[in-house]
Amino acid sequence: MKLINLLIADDHALIREGLRKILSIEPQIQVVGEVENGQKAVEFCKQKEVDIVLMDINMPLMNGIEACRAIKEEHSQIGIIALTIHDQDEYLFELIKHGISGYVLKDVHPDQLIQTILGVARGESFIPPALTARVLAEFSRLTSSEQYDKKHQALTEREIEVLKHVAKGQSNKAIAKSLFISEKTVKNHLTNIFQKIGVVDRTQAALYAIKEKFVDL
């Protein structure tokens, strides 16, 4: 399996060193760089091949939210995992809006952090269960039922099937195997789904599927 090129963005040198040591035990993960602010994270992603950014939120010059937005605008394929001490709603909502793939608190067990990184590399997304209910509540508040009902009608049966698998955290490869279709077909379905329901990534699509009761929590 291809190595996962990971960038650590955190303004504390001690935390960066600790993360590097933790991640060095996983042979699939290769830490390709460390930066101390969001601006350098954006610049690094322009110059080097990066698959995943492990991103702190509060950093000087450019914070993690702004860096996430800037990176996703130019490199939509890069997965971003927010690693933070904050579980405040506004941080999580802003990051989801800008396309993060995972949100992990800094007291996370090292094994869970590694599994989250491996999952995001497979195309999955992760939000801690304790925060999911709050995210869904805000997601529901920000969306119009009438608008979503109209979009819901536009989804084909196959698209709904694909969406259900996305909400369960399955990768494109796993979805293709389950539905006996190619990964390219899965990607085409996802492009159509995102456009129809008005979302930009898998995390938002999964929240939509849960909100519309395609799947249960």
Side-chain angles (χ1 to χ4, degrees):
M1 182 177 177
K2 176 182 176 292
L3 284 176
I4 299 166
N5 290 334
L6 184 137
L7 171 66
I8 299 172
D10 196 294
D11 60 332
H12 292 94
L14 191 61
I15 291 178
R16 295 197 303 272
E17 182 179 351
L19 287 170
R20 178 184 281 275
K21 288 181 178 178
I22 289 171
L23 298 178
S24 68
I25 67 175
E26 173 50 56
Q28 289 182 234
I29 299 173
Q30 175 176 255
V31 177
V32 293
E34 301 174 18
V35 294
E36 64 270 21
N37 61 63
Q39 183 175 314
K40 287 189 175 181
V42 174
E43 293 170 357
F44 191 96
C45 289
K46 291 179 179 178
Q47 299 169 2
K48 304 288 185 178
E49 182 180 348
V50 177
D51 299 310
I52 293 177
V53 180
L54 201 54
M55 182 89 73
D56 187 22
I57 292 180
N58 287 330
M59 294 184 290
L61 297 182
M62 179 186 287
N63 64 36
I65 296 174
E66 294 170 339
C68 176
R69 176 188 56 76
I71 290 171
K72 295 299 283 189
E73 282 181 354
E74 292 194 34
H75 314 280
S76 61
Q77 79 282 3
I78 294 179
I80 298 179
I81 301 172
L83 182 64
T84 176
I85 60 172
H86 301 284
D87 64 351
Q88 296 175 345
D89 294 350
E90 62 267 26
Y91 289 117
L92 179 55
F93 300 148
E94 280 298 304
L95 286 163
I96 288 176
K97 184 170 70 175
H98 292 312
I100 65 159
S101 300
Y103 190 95
V104 181
L105 298 180
K106 285 187 175 178
D107 61 359
V108 66
H109 191 279
D111 288 344
Q112 179 61 63
L113 176 59
I114 290 172
Q115 290 307 311
T116 299
I117 293 169
L118 296 178
V120 169
R122 291 192 298 267
E124 301 167 8
S125 57
F126 176 79
I127 297 173
L131 300 178
T132 303
R134 283 149 56 181
V135 173
L136 285 172
E138 178 67 6
F139 191 76
S140 296
R141 186 184 72 79
L142 293 174
T143 58
S144 162
S145 295
E146 181 180 355
Q147 177 188 15
Y148 271 75
D149 285 343
K150 289 179 180 178
K151 289 175 179 175
H152 173 93
Q153 296 300 321
L155 293 176
T156 66
E157 290 185 13
R158 178 60 91 184
E159 288 168 350
I160 291 173
E161 283 183 306
V162 172
L163 186 56
K164 287 179 179 178
H165 285 285
V166 169
K168 293 175 183 176
Q170 293 189 351
S171 65
N172 288 357
K173 184 176 181 180
I175 295 172
K177 185 176 180 180
S178 296
L179 299 180
F180 303 101
I181 56 180
S182 68
E183 287 188 59
K184 182 178 180 180
T185 300
V186 173
K187 290 179 181 178
N188 289 339
H189 282 313
L190 287 175
T191 298
N192 292 334
I193 290 168
F194 290 177
Q195 183 177 13
K196 287 180 179 180
I197 67 176
V199 302
V200 297
D201 61 25
R202 299 173 81 94
T203 303
Q204 294 179 2
L207 291 172
Y208 172 86
I210 296 170
K211 175 181 178 290
E212 296 297 328
K213 296 183 169 49
F214 290 149
V215 293
D216 296 324
L217 284 175

